[in-house]
Amino acid sequence: MFTHDLKPLVRRLLLAGAFSIGASACAFAQSASDTRIGVGTPVTKAELSKYFAIPPDGTGLPAGSGTPSEGRVVFMDNCAICHGDKLQGNPKPGFGGDRLIGGRGTLATNAPVKTVESYWPYATTLFDYVKRAMPFSAPGSLTDDQVYSVVAFILAQGHIIKPDATMNAKTLPKVQMPNRNGFVPDPRPELSLYH
Amino acid sequence: MASSDDRVAGSDTGEDCPCRDGMFDTLEANRRRFIFGAGSALGAASALALATLPARAAEKAPPGAVWYDVPEDPTKVPGRPVAGDGGYGTRSQFETAVRIRFPTPNANTSWSLTPLASLYGNITPSGLHFERHHNGIPTIDPSRHSLVVHGMVGTPKRFSMDDIKRLPSVTRRHFIECSGNGLTEWKSPKGKTVQQTHGLLSTSEWTGVLFSTLAREVGLKDGAKWVLGEGSDAAVMTRSIPLEKMLNDAMIVYGQNGEAVRPEQGYPLRLLLPGYEGNTNIKWLRRLQVSDKPFMTREETSKYTDLMADGKARIFTLDMDAKSVITFPSGDMKLPGPGIYTISGLAWSGRGRILSVDVSTDGGHLWYPARIESTPEPMCTVRFTFPWIWDGKPAILQSRCTDETGYIQPTLAQLLAIRGDHGPYASVYHLNSIQSWAVASDGGVSNVHA
């Protein structure tokens, strides 16, 4: 594992001009010309392209597109076993998929129901999560078109987008989720505890 | 059993299920051990505990132990040879405490709880550290693992494990607590034992590199405010962390209690955010992306948010507020009779050091200062003790801590007044109120709201 091969480090220190007093390796400790140690390998854009995290403005959304009707097929093949064919969830042992739709208007009641439809503030989060972690038994196995389409299906089933709407990198960030303005920053420490 | 009001809405699913009480798949041996746990000042205590161990414990060693025949007199026969264990030791076959899994429907997205009543001091044995996985524990070859740091940086870089171990390291003791710790307990007392009520808390000595060290290696760009951490598990877990926190005290850890971080805790690399809710401490860390905005990931929007009674949800409730709990005596134990006992427990705060701990034996009317066993450290548990002479009458035991910010651990009534009480899926996280254990006249200890 740890090779103790310090040659690359020494080379970098030389380049940094830190190796100022002959061959003594302790010299760099006194040199403040560069506070970097010089460890790590620069990565290229191509290497970074396999990673993603999609923020609400849609930065990083891939090419491709999908519709609710295409998504229905993807959903029934890959998702319904855990989330139910009516997107109602499946609490059975071995499954445990969340309910995905319904619950609008319940958040301020005594029986709040949190779903994609009622609670999730951003449609981009749904895309990001499905692409990264779903389906549960084969995460990351869907194509980008499949992810767009299954996201479109869920949003259409939740009456958030029209049944014939196409989801792509342009349209998805514009989707207005019902609970978009339902979140407030952490107000703690709670001042009433200091009364 | 819980009333129907206390149960999770039937149509919903189990991942967040806060209250399927009685369904813990507790090992019988472990449960019985709680009849009288560790910590009594009475010599008779340990004998009593041993007497109640089930006979089948003798047939099979508990997890983490190897069963050996027990000689009548260990001074009359040679013991086992040196290094006969292959070079890595095990715990005693008489130590049976184990983590128990919360009965979510799917064992790949579930959690296990630390047996707090069986622990001594502050450090949680690595094999008993609580777990929360969102799609299982990955198997990762460290020679193929690396950490990429990119986004709003000068030079995006990949750090191999060797690279990271070349950087200056720090070693610090910190707790990790899941913000869902105690989520069963809002409406009525559900967990029987302190493992069930508070077991999503563990403390380790962590070794690794400060994020600030890595930040200097890549350079940060003006306007950077957030950092995404991403795990290398099947959930590819992501959370957005304020850059201020990352530069303040975030660690990229590879060491836990003197050895490599355990697989369940993120081997070979974990993000460690002292005092932050457990989920943000990304395990199997493979990527840090510096950004000007949070990413609004699934966990930080739809899951780890606190829905208030007015229908608005608090987001990025990251700090774990001050909290304490008595671990001895605690739920499901039985005191053998009146006499002197050493009440013992843990106190911790995500906002700094614990300043003091008080103990009450009468349900919070009178409070007495407890003794703190070690020097409090920031965002680390401290063990407290309090000598108590039990007169044999019913008693309610409570502990209450104050941290160095002056924050005093609240009562449940105080928290409910703020957070509301509108259903099992509302504000379930960040329950840090005072825990009450009732001691009955027969010595039985139970979880109560008082």
Side-chain angles (χ1 to χ4, degrees), chain B residues 63-65 88-91 99 123-133 136-140 142 161 176 202-207 253-271 281-285:
Chain B
Y88 195 96
T90 57
R91 65 175 172 174
R99 299 183 284 220
I123 299 292
T124 309
S126 300
L128 294 177
H129 193 295
F130 85 86
E131 304 163 271
R132 171 66 170 113
H133 313 309
I137 305 159
T139 302
I140 296 176
M161 290 302 297
I176 298 178
S202 299
T203 298
S204 299
E205 181 181 271
W206 301 102
T207 298
V253 298
Y254 46 78
Q256 178 188 8
N257 298 332
E259 61 182 355
V261 169
R262 288 287 171 106
E264 314 95 281
Q265 297 306 323
Y267 184 88
L269 211 54
R270 164 173 222 172
L271 181 59
N281 294 255
I282 302 288
K283 296 175 287 192
W284 316 293
L285 185 71

Side-chain angles (χ1 to χ4, degrees), chain B residues 268-306:
Chain B
L269 211 54
R270 164 173 222 172
L271 181 59
L272 200 282
L273 300 170
Y276 264 27
E277 67 181 2
N279 179 249
T280 62
N281 294 255
I282 302 288
K283 296 175 287 192
W284 316 293
L285 185 71
R286 74 170 189 182
R287 186 165 77 95
L288 293 169
Q289 182 175 354
V290 182
S291 172
D292 57 346
K293 294 187 198 72
F295 288 80
M296 299 298 181
T297 72
R298 181 247 198 185
E299 304 304 316
E300 63 207 22
T301 54
S302 72
K303 293 296 171 186
Y304 292 92
T305 46
D306 313 308

